[in-house]
Amino acid sequence: MKNTDWSPKRWLRIALPAVLIIVWLMAAGLGGPTFGKISDVSTNDQASFLPASAESTVAREWQLKFVDSNVIPAVVLLTSEEALTQEQLGEIAGLSKKLGGVGGVQEPEAPATTSIAGPIPSEDNKAVEFLVPIAATGEIKEVVGELRETLAASTPAGLSVYVTGPAGLTADLVSAFGGIDGVLLLVALVAVFIILLIVYRSVVLPLLVLFTSVFALCASILVVYYMASWDWIKLSGQSQGILSILVIGAATDYSLLFVARFREALHQVDSKWAALGRAYRGAWEPIVASGSTVILAMLCLLFSDLNSNRSLGPIAAIGILFSLLAALTCLPALLVAFGRGSFWPFMPKVESGRNHKHHADDTAGMTEETAADIGRGLAGVGGIWRRIGLLIARKPRMTWVVTLVILLAASSGILQLQANGVSQTEVILGQSNAVDGQRALAEHFDGGSGSPVLIVADQASQDQVLAAVEGTEGITEASVYKGGGRPDPAAEPVVKDGRVLINATLKDQADSESAEQVVVELRNQLPAIDSSVLVGGVSAIALDTNVTAQSDLFKIVPLVLLVIFLVLIVLLRSIVAPLLLIVTVVLSYVATMGVSALVFNHVFGFPGADATVPLFGFVFLVALGVDYNIFLMTRVREESLLLGTHAGVLRGLGKTGGVITSAGVVLAATFAALGIIPLLFLAQLAFIVAFGVLLDTVIVRTLLVPALSYDLGDRVWWPAKSTKFGQGSSVPATAPEPFESAQR
């Protein structure tokens, strides 16, 4: 084989790594401080994520015309175990002025004291509520926090105090994301470090890989911050957390593949630059293909109708791009700077020859031709990967059939998946004053207090529409809007462009499934009275979000599969192999969702799942699952060109098994770190991706794909001619030398 090893000039050997490391240090220096500021450009307002065409979005725009201000209502609730006395009620009435004095409480067209509705006693006289409008343009978390402090200092003894409603829930939701900047990242990095320490038994290498991942994350955060500040994308705490985990996991995965090639080359050549060149020639194609696949899959989210999904697409794509760049520039510079010391204390040494002898019982009972294929494919492969290779070689069809049956059995659980959305009070898993307040509110008042259904109707049909709304089951009362504060009951309704606004109070909590059904009923019956009627509000926003999310699933899934299929065709120069990989990752996804549904329902006792969970789970699992199959099949193709498909499958599995398994464990651990954030969506996504990656790594990529490929033989590369494989005609320069010792 012609020697194509690269040996640059001395000045370049010094300057190139130094320049690359300095560039990435500068990126980290600029992006690092941005972590503390990124929350300033993020939003968690569910309404802003809906498309402009959604009925609740249009209704919200009309609402702003009537109210002349953008407010989020907070419900201040005070409860007592016993009936409230007149003395207590008198003290509670004095709270109205103090609440109005809190900065950030909206003052629509009157003093703060009159803009607050209340005190409103409950029928059982054990609770009192205030409806406090808060400016949506301010810091809701800080305003709600100050309201709680004011109440704690001024409320009569013996009463329980809550600040709930949309503003209270939003504030607690923002607080739940507080761990993203620090704790989440720390947990993910520590998990990755420990895993790498165990796998490589090196102190230096885990640090080099982590530096690469952190540099990639800093550069990603910097770009995303400015894109959000320029209003090019909508950034949420949810997207922010996913970005951090995705970059750490992806950058580590790509780095591990490069490290595996570098270490393998260090066993073959003495020069670290020659080893680096071989590592590049062997790793760049699968890394670029894998990164491109994930980037294109994420960009498919741009076709989503939900702004939150559409924004996550470019955010995640930016993270993967920098992960890719860091793994191919920063990590190689660090590796060549440390050389063999990167693996200290177990530094790889050049091996003059390898023992490719295999045991006689490895091929017992096989034909001479099959035994020879196994002998070459498993030469130099030991441990569990040799045993798995022998299993596949002996019984390929039984292996993939049994694996397929197991995955299909797991897939049956998907019938129990409840991904129709959950109420906002069930989104927060940790302690929440607002969630507790919503439960207490439902005990003493109508559950929808403070979050009415908003109906925009033509003035000419307001009486008929109002009567129909009042007669709808699930609505306790309804009235035409006559102005802010406490308008005169005899006042005329406010009319804007020939339309009126009707507020309808729900019997149940505004974000409950029953409340959404009321919205559906109103939208079904009111157009018969007024064809231009609009139904909006918190319940309508939740309903439209769920419907849009489910619509996105059927639109984006085929698009992602098509994009990945085309990338695989270009990479593997085949049609059969890409089809095989696509089918197996989809099966892996369905099996994962089936197991997840069973775990969510019967182990964790979750109330259901957000409607976006299946879509996010699909995009991440399919894109990342194909990553591992790309790592495997590019090596299988490389070895098949030299050894033939059967031996190439075994050799590719043996050479990539350890690194892909390590990468899968690392990615699973990083996504599992999302579980520390007490939010239902992220906890479910953490389990789905972590379990799915492990399932894909341990079962699909280890058994199903190799066994199917082995069983198909050269047909897996169709339409390429079978004579091309096993001839050594296209052996890459990085391929190991033929196994002369085994042949001798």
Side-chain angles (χ1 to χ4, degrees):
M1 182 186 298
K2 184 179 178 180
N3 186 1
T4 58
D5 291 333
W6 183 48
S7 182
K9 294 182 179 180
R10 179 178 175 82
W11 69 268
L12 191 58
R13 292 200 300 267
I14 297 173
L16 185 58
V19 169
L20 288 174
I21 292 172
I22 289 172
V23 168
W24 281 103
L25 282 172
M26 291 174 61
L30 293 172
T34 310
F35 276 93
K37 301 187 298 181
I38 197 165
S39 59
D40 298 338
V41 294
S42 65
T43 177
N44 295 293
D45 180 13
Q46 188 179 19
S48 65
F49 296 144
L50 281 169
S53 59
E55 183 171 343
S56 53
T57 303
V58 180
R60 181 182 175 89
E61 293 172 354
W62 273 96
Q63 178 194 6
L64 296 179
K65 292 182 180 181
F66 286 92
V67 179
D68 291 330
S69 64
N70 194 2
V71 300
I72 295 181
V75 177
V76 171
L77 179 68
L78 297 90
T79 64
S80 172
E81 294 293 332
E82 305 293 335
L84 294 168
T85 64
Q86 288 300 318
E87 182 181 354
Q88 288 176 314
L89 289 173
E91 291 183 61
I92 291 172
L95 291 175
S96 181
K97 185 175 182 180
K98 293 182 179 180
L99 294 175
V102 172
V105 171
Q106 185 74 358
E107 301 179 25
E109 297 162 9
T113 52
T114 59
S115 67
I116 297 175
I120 305 171
S122 62
E123 290 185 4
D124 60 9
N125 204 34
K126 293 183 179 181
V128 171
E129 70 173 351
F130 295 86
L131 303 181
V132 183
I134 295 177
T137 54
E139 295 291 338
I140 297 175
K141 176 183 174 183
E142 284 69 21
V143 176
V144 169
E146 190 174 347
L147 284 173
R148 287 170 177 164
E149 291 176 2
T150 300
L151 290 166
S154 308
T155 301
L159 300 183
S160 298
V161 181
Y162 309 94
V163 178
T164 186
L169 289 167
T170 299
D172 287 359
L173 189 64
V174 172
S175 297
F177 282 114
I180 286 179
D181 289 334
V183 179
L184 175 62
L185 188 59
L186 179 62
V187 170
L189 292 176
V190 170
V192 171
F193 179 78
I194 292 174
I195 292 170
L196 294 180
L197 197 63
I198 294 172
V199 171
Y200 287 99
R201 295 174 295 167
S202 168
V203 178
V204 180
L205 184 64
L207 293 176
L208 299 184
V209 173
L210 285 182
F211 280 138
T212 301
S213 301
V214 171
F215 289 167
L217 179 58
C218 289
S220 305
I221 289 288
L222 183 65
V223 173
V224 169
Y225 172 80
Y226 281 107
M227 289 180 67
S229 64
W230 295 332
D231 206 26
W232 291 0
I233 57 173
K234 285 190 177 294
L235 178 66
S236 66
Q238 174 179 294
S239 299
Q240 182 184 338
I242 291 174
L243 173 66
S244 299
I245 290 303
L246 187 62
V247 172
I248 295 297
T252 302
D253 276 5
Y254 301 149
S255 297
L256 289 182
L257 182 62
F258 194 94
V259 166
R261 285 287 194 168
F262 184 64
R263 186 169 67 168
E264 183 178 333
L266 286 175
H267 283 297
Q268 301 167 359
V269 295
D270 184 63
S271 168
K272 62 183 180 182
W273 282 96
L276 185 68
R278 292 191 176 200
Y280 255 115
R281 289 193 295 273
W284 80 268
E285 187 177 40
I287 290 178
V288 170
S290 299
S292 301
T293 301
V294 181
I295 288 172
L296 292 173
M298 295 303 170
L299 290 179
C300 288
L301 289 173
L302 288 171
F303 293 91
S304 170
D305 288 326
L306 277 180
N307 292 330
S308 53
N309 291 354
R310 191 160 58 245
S311 295
L312 180 61
I315 290 171
I318 289 168
I320 295 297
L321 176 62
F322 280 106
S323 300
L324 185 68
L325 293 175
L328 292 176
T329 58
C330 180
L331 179 67
L334 292 171
L335 288 176
V336 80
F338 283 85
R340 295 179 190 273
S342 304
F343 300 92
W344 183 87
F346 299 99
M347 293 180 286
K349 298 179 181 179
V350 178
E351 299 178 2
S352 56
R354 301 187 185 184
N355 179 17
H356 300 295
K357 184 179 179 180
H358 54 276
H359 299 289
D361 62 352
D362 285 349
T363 58
M366 297 185 180
T367 66
E368 183 177 345
E369 181 181 0
T370 305
D373 283 343
I374 292 178
R376 291 190 300 159
L378 295 178
V381 177
I384 188 173
W385 301 110
R386 183 177 186 82
R387 291 193 290 273
I388 292 174
L390 290 172
L391 171 65
I392 291 172
R394 287 170 173 162
K395 300 178 180 179
R397 188 159 300 176
M398 186 192 76
T399 301
W400 69 257
V401 168
V402 171
T403 306
L404 180 64
V405 169
I406 292 173
L407 291 174
L408 290 175
S411 301
S412 63
I414 200 170
L415 298 175
Q416 297 189 37
L417 183 64
Q418 304 170 20
N420 301 316
V422 294
S423 67
Q424 197 170 4
T425 54
E426 294 170 322
V427 167
I428 303 173
L429 299 178
Q431 194 280 329
S432 167
N433 178 266
V435 171
D436 295 340
Q438 284 295 126
R439 296 191 182 109
L441 187 68
E443 294 178 6
H444 302 284
F445 293 92
D446 293 326
S449 297
S451 303
V453 175
L454 305 173
I455 299 100
V456 180
D458 189 275
Q459 182 185 12
S461 57
Q462 72 176 51
D463 293 337
Q464 297 96 312
V465 171
L466 180 61
V469 171
E470 289 176 329
T472 301
E473 186 177 356
I475 298 292
T476 58
E477 61 178 352
S479 60
V480 181
Y481 180 73
K482 297 182 178 182
R486 295 169 179 163
D488 184 346
E492 291 295 319
V494 176
V495 180
K496 298 289 183 181
D497 298 331
R499 292 191 167 191
V500 296
L501 177 67
I502 297 174
N503 293 321
T505 302
L506 289 159
K507 177 181 179 182
D508 298 315
Q509 292 183 20
D511 55 358
S512 63
E513 186 176 349
S514 56
E516 292 180 20
Q517 278 303 120
V518 172
V519 172
V520 172
E521 179 63 25
L522 290 173
R523 287 178 174 177
N524 286 336
Q525 65 172 343
L526 294 183
I529 303 172
D530 178 2
S531 60
S532 65
V533 72
L534 296 169
V535 180
V538 173
S539 305
I541 290 172
L543 173 66
D544 289 346
T545 300
N546 291 337
V547 171
T548 306
Q550 291 170 3
S551 173
D552 281 347
L553 183 65
F554 295 103
K555 180 197 307 181
I556 293 175
V557 165
L559 188 60
V560 171
L561 292 177
L562 177 62
V563 167
I564 293 177
F565 180 61
L566 294 176
V567 172
L568 290 175
I569 288 177
V570 174
L571 176 66
L572 298 176
R573 293 86 154 173
S574 166
I575 293 178
V576 175
L579 279 174
L580 184 151
L581 298 185
I582 288 290
V583 170
T584 55
V585 294
V586 170
L587 179 60
S588 176
Y589 164 74
V590 176
T592 297
M593 296 305 295
V595 172
S596 298
L598 296 175
V599 171
F600 294 164
N601 295 342
H602 305 296
V603 178
F604 296 147
F606 288 152
D610 190 274
T612 58
V613 164
L615 177 61
F616 279 30
F618 176 84
V619 172
F620 286 119
L621 279 183
V622 170
L624 297 173
V626 166
D627 263 7
Y628 298 131
N629 282 321
I630 286 175
F631 292 168
L632 169 66
M633 292 304 287
T634 51
R635 186 61 181 259
V636 167
R637 190 177 192 279
E638 176 185 319
E639 299 292 348
S640 296
L641 290 170
L642 176 64
L643 305 172
T645 300
H646 284 156
V649 169
L650 302 180
R651 183 73 178 168
L653 176 62
K655 281 298 182 183
T656 63
V659 63
I660 294 179
T661 301
S662 301
V665 171
V666 166
L667 189 64
T670 52
F671 265 91
L674 281 173
I676 69 170
I677 301 176
L679 293 173
L680 181 65
F681 170 81
L682 291 181
Q684 291 178 330
L685 186 64
F687 180 86
I688 289 170
V689 177
F691 178 81
V693 165
L694 291 177
L695 179 69
D696 197 81
T697 304
V698 176
I699 302 296
V700 177
R701 189 267 316 160
T702 300
L703 296 172
L704 183 59
V705 171
L708 279 169
S709 301
Y710 195 97
D711 200 13
L712 287 171
D714 290 342
R715 289 171 294 179
V716 78
W717 307 116
W718 186 85
K721 295 180 179 179
S722 60
T723 54
K724 183 178 180 181
F725 297 92
Q727 302 301 314
S729 58
S730 304
V731 182
T734 54
E737 296 294 330
F739 312 113
E740 293 99 342
S741 60
Q743 295 171 356
R744 288 196 295 268

